[in-house]
Amino acid sequence: MPYEGDGRLPIIYVRGFAGGGAGIDTAVDDPFYGFNEGSVQVRVDGADRPAFHQFESPLLRLMTDHGYRLLVHGNQEAYLRQQPPGAVPSATVWVHRFYDEFASTLTHDPAGFSLERAAQSLLDLVLLVRRTTGAPRVFLVAHSMGGLIVRSLLQRVVPDDERFGGTLDAATALVDRVFTYASPHGGIEFVGFGLLEKVRDLTGVLGADIFGPDRMFEYLTPERVPGTADREAFRPAAVPQGGFPVDRMFCLVGTNSADYTTALGLSTRAVGPRSDGLVQVDNAYVEGAPRSLVHRSHSGRYGIVNSEEGYQNLRRFLFGDLAVTARLVGLRLPGNDTDDTSWQLETALSIRGLPVVLHQQSAAHLCPVQIERRTARDGVDTPVPLVTTFLSSTATRPTDERTGDTVASMRHVLRLRLVSLRERDGLLSFLDHLEQTADWSDTLVVDIGPDAGGRYGTWATWSSQIPGALRDWDPTASDPLTDLDERPGSWRVRVPVPEGSRELLGPDAAVEIVVAPRSTLDRAPEGAAVGAVAAAAAG
């Protein structure tokens, strides 16, 4: 069955850290390495009664929503090896069972776990899946340490493999997009306990030294490609210049440390509250890559993988055909660089038809956006752009109760709250403070859909300017906003803040929205890697 070109590339899941010994043995007992687990979330209905929202699992939802198949046949890898080229459907899900060869229950005298070996076996699986499905590339989806295995594949294993041209970006011929849940891209650090990190990295207890900078340098740095960074210049969370494109990666960051109960909560105490319980929010993303923050813990009952938030971000990044970014521009807050006032912005992104928030940064979750008066490097506290999300023009949309027709536009809302804090002599001052009260708050409602000419357009307004409920706002009564982008295939609009807010935010303050079409396989492999990959797959 040759690849049909509909964007549904094979998906390979890569699980996280299991520790050593009994942890590995337990992991391999699960046929799907945990990606089959779901969850239940409790909400309150109109009568103050608990209402349950059940999430099946990312595996089941891919099958029900996108028609993927999970072909096990007793042993996924053995089944694949028996199939001729092009005989397996492309829209299939595969689990990289890299721990099997290190488990005492499955292997006689197993060797100690090797991340490099796991990355090499991932390459073997990628080539096998490509050969048997006919798909040109694959999607890689990883949790926790699995994201480091994927990066080792992208940054070291494939570039070092002579079959693929020996360049830093050689993996682009094999992998289309990468999605990571709560991966420690910047390593794992302990709050105030540098000694613990040194002991971990020196002893390698339970193999945890893989989360330290020295080991990360080893498995993320190619040996045969010239021009790579040395140990002194190495930054764990950075992909080398000219390597795998970071815009083809997405990092989902957890912000709920309270619900991570592994090791009786000792992990959360060690890494601190500004984390998912194991990975600090500042270490959970690749520099420059799109990301979202969600209030979920690292794993467990309220974990990030078995959550609706995680799945909705996953499906939109893998299959969305529109990329949407929002920037806050022209902001001119009162005061100056040397005064005692700081400003924090809280953001939350919701999409019509979803029961969860896709992205949220707030002071309550210890991760608000710090509004700087100076140019800042892109980070969790100073994101550039403010928000990035992906939309699918083919996703199911609600029905208009008045007409009975399907709503044509894709609607998402961005909630913004600006709060000021004062510091005196290094301490927060609460003399004129009103707790949890915003200096300014509003909600930007954005619709993206076809205009009168059948092309995509953007409509936007602030909720403070809508006389009724948000659901009743009909943007089609007016023309779409003026496109400020002269480039074909993308458009940019600017929405000024409401007039009454400009005295605080500045006369030119606005939210700038850029919408750009995207498609799966939007970049063709380049150079000698094309022929090399084809030859390797045939072999």
Side-chain angles (χ1 to χ4, degrees):
M1 179 177 177
Y3 176 68
E4 298 174 348
D6 63 355
R8 293 184 301 163
L9 294 173
I11 294 174
I12 298 178
Y13 275 107
V14 189
R15 69 154 288 144
F17 187 61
I24 292 177
D25 291 345
T26 300
V28 302
D29 287 342
D30 186 325
F32 304 113
Y33 270 24
F35 289 109
N36 55 312
E37 296 178 357
S39 63
V40 175
Q41 185 177 5
V42 179
R43 307 182 71 168
V44 177
D45 66 10
D48 292 332
R49 295 172 302 189
F52 301 100
H53 175 76
Q54 297 171 247
F55 173 68
E56 306 93 311
S57 78
L59 290 183
L60 282 176
R61 287 294 289 276
L62 284 169
M63 290 188 279
T64 57
D65 291 346
H66 295 280
Y68 270 76
R69 297 175 64 183
L70 187 63
L71 304 177
V72 181
H73 294 281
N75 184 317
Q76 280 198 318
E77 186 171 350
Y79 166 74
L80 279 171
R81 295 193 181 282
Q82 295 171 2
Q83 306 308 308
V88 177
S90 179
T92 43
V93 179
W94 309 94
V95 177
H96 179 34
R97 294 185 58 91
F98 61 89
Y99 267 134
D100 290 3
E101 62 178 297
F102 307 108
S104 62
T105 54
L106 299 182
T107 306
H108 181 64
D109 294 331
F113 172 70
S114 165
L115 192 142
E116 289 91 338
R117 173 58 196 153
Q120 180 63 53
S121 61
L122 175 58
L123 172 58
D124 297 339
L125 180 59
V126 168
L127 294 176
L128 182 59
V129 168
R130 290 177 68 258
R131 179 181 66 82
T132 54
T133 63
R137 288 183 254 176
V138 301
F139 293 139
L140 296 180
V141 179
H143 174 227
S144 190
M145 179 197 70
L148 300 181
I149 294 176
V150 169
R151 286 187 57 203
S152 182
L153 167 83
L154 302 177
Q155 293 179 217
R156 173 172 173 160
V157 173
V158 175
D160 270 349
D161 195 313
E162 295 178 352
R163 295 175 294 176
F164 306 115
T167 61
L168 289 175
D169 65 347
T172 57
L174 303 174
V175 178
D176 194 80
R177 290 177 186 163
V178 173
F179 184 98
T180 65
Y181 298 93
S183 288
H185 293 289
I188 293 179
E189 300 174 303
F190 302 124
V191 176
F193 292 100
L195 179 61
L196 290 181
E197 295 173 15
K198 292 180 180 178
V199 171
R200 175 200 64 190
D201 296 346
L202 286 173
T203 64
V205 58
L206 295 177
D209 58 327
I210 60 174
F211 303 118
D214 291 334
R215 277 289 286 127
M216 294 184 75
F217 173 76
E218 292 177 357
Y219 61 73
L220 293 179
T221 305
E223 296 179 337
R224 302 177 182 175
V225 181
T228 56
D230 58 19
R231 177 64 186 86
E232 294 299 320
F234 173 71
R235 300 197 314 276
V239 172
Q241 186 75 23
F244 192 86
V246 294
D247 61 349
R248 285 166 58 173
M249 307 178 77
F250 189 97
C251 303
L252 195 64
V253 181
T255 63
N256 181 1
S257 64
D259 286 328
Y260 189 65
T261 58
T262 299
L264 302 177
L266 294 177
S267 168
T268 299
R269 295 182 183 180
V271 301
R274 187 178 151 88
S275 69
D276 61 12
L278 182 61
V279 181
Q280 293 166 324
V281 296
D282 295 308
N283 288 335
Y285 65 94
V286 171
E287 293 180 8
R291 58 186 173 269
S292 285
L293 278 67
V294 295
H295 196 54
R296 287 284 179 168
S297 64
H298 188 77
S299 62
R301 185 175 181 181
Y302 301 104
I304 197 168
V305 176
N306 57 340
S307 69
E308 186 81 48
E309 294 95 327
Y311 171 70
Q312 294 297 345
N313 274 288
L314 170 70
R315 68 183 299 209
R316 278 161 175 76
F317 176 68
L318 294 186
F319 309 116
D321 53 1
L322 293 173
V324 182
T325 60
R327 299 173 183 267
L328 193 57
V329 298
L331 198 61
R332 296 292 183 271
L333 295 172
N336 54 59
D337 292 339
T338 60
D339 66 17
D340 57 2
T341 304
S342 60
W343 299 85
Q344 295 178 344
L345 183 70
E346 299 185 338
T347 65
L349 176 69
S350 302
I351 295 180
R352 178 166 52 188
L354 298 187
V356 292
V357 177
L358 283 190
H359 170 81
Q360 187 173 21
Q361 292 193 242
S362 69
H365 300 161
L366 307 180
C367 57
V369 177
Q370 303 292 338
I371 300 298
E372 303 285 351
R373 295 191 180 93
R374 62 184 185 278
T375 301
R377 182 176 64 88
D378 177 32
V380 170
D381 292 338
T382 53
V384 181
L386 184 65
V387 175
T388 300
T389 191
F390 302 91
L391 301 176
S392 173
S393 61
T394 60
T396 302
R397 287 190 283 280
T399 300
D400 188 329
E401 296 181 354
R402 297 167 297 182
T403 64
D405 298 329
T406 299
V407 176
S409 63
M410 295 165 281
R411 174 169 296 177
H412 51 295
V413 299
L414 179 63
R415 298 191 296 279
L416 301 174
R417 295 180 76 248
L418 185 66
V419 179
S420 62
L421 299 172
R422 290 195 176 185
E423 290 187 20
R424 292 179 179 172
D425 299 323
L427 297 175
L428 290 176
S429 173
F430 299 106
L431 293 178
D432 58 356
H433 176 74
L434 294 171
E435 182 64 14
Q436 296 188 18
T437 303
D439 293 277
W440 170 74
S441 65
D442 213 329
T443 299
L444 181 63
V445 187
V446 182
D447 272 28
I448 300 173
D451 60 15
R455 297 169 298 180
Y456 275 107
T458 304
W459 294 260
T461 191
W462 295 93
S463 64
S464 60
Q465 298 176 332
I466 297 177
L470 297 187
R471 66 172 60 89
D472 296 328
W473 178 55
D474 181 10
T476 59
S478 61
D479 293 330
L481 298 175
T482 301
D483 181 9
L484 303 176
D485 194 337
E486 297 180 354
R487 297 172 301 170
S490 65
W491 59 104
R492 175 171 57 92
V493 299
R494 182 169 293 193
V495 187
V497 299
E499 185 174 355
S501 308
R502 295 172 192 171
E503 183 174 349
L504 172 65
L505 303 179
D508 300 320
V511 172
E512 188 174 86
I513 304 168
V514 177
V515 183
R518 66 196 288 264
S519 62
T520 303
L521 303 176
D522 55 356
R523 294 188 183 185
E526 298 177 359
V530 179
V533 169

